[in-house]
């Protein structure tokens, strides 16, 4: 069965449950073990998933749904409970040392983390209608919470090991077998698995034998009040960026994100556009992150474009809009990408995107209308597409308009609507 069919089955199941008039959703536990929604994207393991959980929790709170986000304590000085906005709070759970840890060391803390969630609920007297976990580690903990409270479990993976492994660079290590086994177990024991795109739903069916009846497709949203077009000259002035062709890369720096491809593409573009530069917004991520930064710097020097790179520290989410407005084109040469929130938000700012035709990027970008999709992380293909946009003002303007129109499909209110429908469906199944 195709993924769109799977999504439709999920919608039909939720609609049938709604017909039974379930009780409204009042309180939800969100689980994000390995990273906090309060963490700044682009630092360590923080990225689009952090933005997703934060924006979704805030939107749910505005809808009158209380959300508690449980994350592992990594700082001994942070408060046990942080009230973000009325109805949305972050609970820091003690599990292992109160310090950042590599993801590889976190599986051994899952049971302690889940126990911390359960203990918090008993002490505070909280009762949840359901638990919604994010990422495989959180899903593993979510299963324990589901069983302890006898409530439904929804899980969003955000990335899948088997899909990442299909596009890893040659010579890089594959995903641990423990992760793959845990993903399979979470899928089997979840009341619903939430996919960001129809393509992800198809991957879940094809590579994990997920049940189509327990799949839901719900894309992330965009804050259109924040991410919108604005004058390029003003943005560059604010950021201290000079005039001239400017490409942009935003994201965590690790091999899967393909920054090396962007640098090679830059070098290939220089002969036709001698003034072109590449701004890089992000920091090293994961155990090989710093090594990747060092390798990219060496590569840029070898290719003679080291002085054309503008290295920028990770930026607060609300600051990224100025970089999107300042640039002429966004490069997303990811080898794997479940959704690609950066590409979505950049389009909302009217920034054309050149991206690899993988995962959610193929769903986000309309080739030839809001940017260009490249068959693989091929530097020459990226250079050709980037060069077309930078050299043709008419094409750039047409793609910019198409990017804004394309991004209008996504909003956090629409995401909340879809998930509230899902939540109502799976809680009705539990009580019906």
């Amino acid at each position: 069965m195709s993924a769109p069919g799977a999504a439709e089955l999920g919608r039909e199941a939720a609609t049938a449950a709604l017909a039974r008039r379930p009780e409204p959703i009042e309180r939800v536990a969100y689980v994000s073990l390995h990273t906090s929604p309060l963490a700044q994207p682009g630092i360590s393991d923080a990225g689009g998933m952090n933005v997703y959980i934060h924006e979704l929790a805030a939107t749910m709170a505005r809808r009158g749904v209380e959300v508690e986000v449980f994350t592992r304590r990594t700082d001994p000085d942070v408060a046990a409970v942080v009230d973000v906005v009325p109805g949305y709070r972050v609970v820091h759970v003690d599990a292992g040392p109160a310090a950042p840890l590599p993801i590889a060391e976190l599986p051994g803390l899952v049971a302690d983390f889940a126990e911390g969630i359960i203990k918090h609920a008993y002490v505070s007297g909280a009762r949840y209608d359901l638990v919604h976990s994010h990422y495989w580690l959180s899903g593993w903990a979510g299963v324990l919470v589901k069983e302890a409270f006898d409530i439904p479990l929804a899980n969003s993976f955000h990335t899948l090991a088997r899909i990442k492994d299909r596009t890893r660079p040659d010579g890089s290590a594959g995903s641990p077998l423990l992760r793959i086994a845990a993903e399979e177990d979470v899928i089997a024991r979840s009341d619903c698995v939430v996919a960001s795109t129809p393509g992800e739903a198809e991957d879940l069916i094809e590579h994990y034998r997920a049940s189509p009846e327990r799949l839901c497709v719900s894309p992330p949203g965009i804050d259109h009040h924040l991410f919108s077009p604005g004058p390029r000259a003003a943005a560059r002035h604010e950021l201290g960026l000079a005039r001239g062709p400017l490409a942009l890369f935003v994201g965590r720096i690790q091999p899967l994100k393909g920054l090396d491809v962007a640098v090679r593409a830059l070098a290939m573009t220089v002969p036709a556009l001698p003034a072109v530069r590449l701004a890089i917004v992000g920091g090293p991520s994961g155990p090989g992150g710093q090594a990747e930064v060092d390798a990219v710097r060496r590569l840029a020097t070898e290719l003679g474009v080291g002085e054309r790179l503008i290295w920028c520290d990770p930026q607060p989410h609300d600051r990224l809009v100025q970089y999107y407005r300042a640039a002429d084109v966004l490069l997303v040469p990811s080898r794997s990408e479940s959704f690609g929130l950066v590409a979505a938000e950049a389009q909302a700012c009217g920034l054309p995107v050149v991206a690899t035709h993988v995962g959610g990027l193929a769903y986000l970008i309309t080739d030839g209308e809001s940017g260009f999709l490249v068959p693989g992380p091929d530097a020459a293909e990226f250079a050709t597409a980037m060069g077309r946009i930078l050299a043709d003002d008419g094409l750039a303007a047409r793609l910019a308009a198409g990017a804004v129109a394309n991004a209008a499909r996504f909003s956090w209110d629409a995401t909340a609507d879809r998930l509230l429908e899902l939540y109502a469906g799976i809680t009705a199944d539990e009580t019906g």
Side-chain angles (χ1 to χ4, degrees):
M1 179 176 293
S2 68
E8 188 59 34
L9 279 173
R11 180 176 292 277
E12 289 175 0
T15 302
L18 278 170
R20 297 197 293 271
R21 297 185 181 277
E23 294 296 318
I25 302 300
E26 295 180 352
R27 176 177 274 184
V28 180
Y30 284 1
V31 181
S32 180
L33 188 159
H34 80 288
T35 184
S36 169
L38 303 181
Q40 182 172 299
I43 297 177
S44 187
D45 294 314
M49 192 183 90
N50 301 70
V51 175
Y52 178 100
I53 297 172
H54 171 74
E55 294 288 351
L56 181 59
T59 303
M60 288 292 184
R62 290 195 297 270
R63 298 292 189 87
V65 179
E66 290 190 52
V67 179
E68 289 189 339
V69 181
F70 293 92
T71 192
R72 193 182 75 86
R73 180 190 292 277
T74 59
D75 182 348
D77 298 323
V78 73
V81 178
V82 176
D83 290 305
V84 183
V85 297
Y88 160 31
R89 61 178 52 183
V90 174
V91 180
H92 295 98
V93 177
D94 291 309
L101 293 174
I103 288 180
E105 296 182 22
L106 296 180
L109 302 178
V110 168
D112 289 344
F113 180 76
E115 182 180 351
I117 296 174
I118 295 165
K119 187 178 297 183
H120 169 86
Y122 280 124
V123 170
S124 66
R127 295 293 181 267
Y128 307 103
D129 294 306
L130 74 149
V131 57
H132 186 169
S133 49
H134 299 267
Y135 197 59
W136 70 275
L137 285 165
S138 300
W140 207 358
V143 167
L144 300 177
V145 175
K146 163 192 167 72
E147 293 176 346
F149 295 143
D150 192 23
I151 57 177
L153 169 66
N155 187 78
S156 299
F157 282 101
H158 297 275
T159 63
L160 292 163
R162 284 182 172 146
I163 306 308
K164 290 176 69 174
D165 286 348
R166 294 173 66 199
T167 54
R168 285 186 182 277
D170 293 339
S172 62
S175 299
L177 293 178
L178 175 64
R179 172 176 178 174
I180 295 173
E183 288 176 343
E184 291 180 336
D185 187 53
V186 171
I187 290 168
R189 297 166 77 177
S190 295
D191 295 270
C192 185
V193 177
V194 183
S196 292
T197 66
E200 186 182 356
E202 187 173 281
D203 287 336
L204 284 159
I205 293 170
E206 180 179 352
H207 298 283
Y208 288 87
R209 301 183 302 279
S211 168
E213 290 79 7
R214 290 189 288 114
L215 279 177
C216 166
V217 177
S218 178
I222 299 170
D223 180 353
H224 292 279
H225 295 291
L226 175 62
F227 294 99
S228 62
R232 179 174 295 132
R236 290 198 181 188
H237 177 75
E238 180 177 329
L239 298 174
L241 297 173
R243 298 172 63 182
L246 180 66
L248 176 67
F249 173 97
V250 176
R252 292 175 290 137
I253 300 176
Q254 55 180 219
L256 280 174
K257 295 297 184 181
L259 179 56
D260 60 311
V261 177
V263 170
R264 292 184 185 278
L266 174 72
M268 294 176 184
T269 307
V270 168
L273 295 166
V276 66
R277 294 165 299 148
L278 173 65
I280 300 165
V281 180
S285 174
Q290 188 56 52
E292 183 69 6
V293 171
D294 296 341
V296 168
R297 288 185 180 274
R298 287 195 300 272
L299 174 65
T301 300
E302 292 168 4
L303 295 175
V305 295
E307 298 301 316
R308 297 175 181 273
L309 301 186
I310 304 168
W311 293 88
C312 307
D313 292 334
Q315 300 293 311
H317 192 227
D318 60 1
R319 179 73 167 168
L320 279 178
V321 62
Q322 293 299 87
Y323 286 87
Y324 296 142
R325 290 172 176 173
D328 296 294
V329 61
L330 178 74
L331 304 183
V332 189
S334 300
R335 294 176 168 90
S336 176
E337 199 72 64
S338 59
F339 184 69
L341 193 58
V342 163
E345 292 174 342
Q347 288 182 104
C349 295
L351 182 61
V353 180
V354 178
T356 319
H357 194 289
V358 295
L361 295 171
Y363 176 76
L364 276 177
I365 297 151
T366 303
D367 188 41
E369 294 184 17
S370 66
F372 294 115
L373 290 168
V374 173
D378 185 298
E381 294 277 3
F382 267 86
T384 298
M386 174 173 64
R388 287 182 62 190
I389 296 170
L390 295 177
D392 187 336
D393 290 343
L395 173 63
R398 180 173 65 78
L399 293 176
V404 174
N406 207 38
R409 297 181 293 153
F410 307 102
S411 73
W412 288 112
D413 280 331
T415 302
D417 285 343
R418 183 69 186 99
L419 288 177
L420 285 171
E421 180 184 359
L422 162 68
Y423 295 165
I426 61 177
T427 54
D429 287 343
E430 289 286 309
T431 58

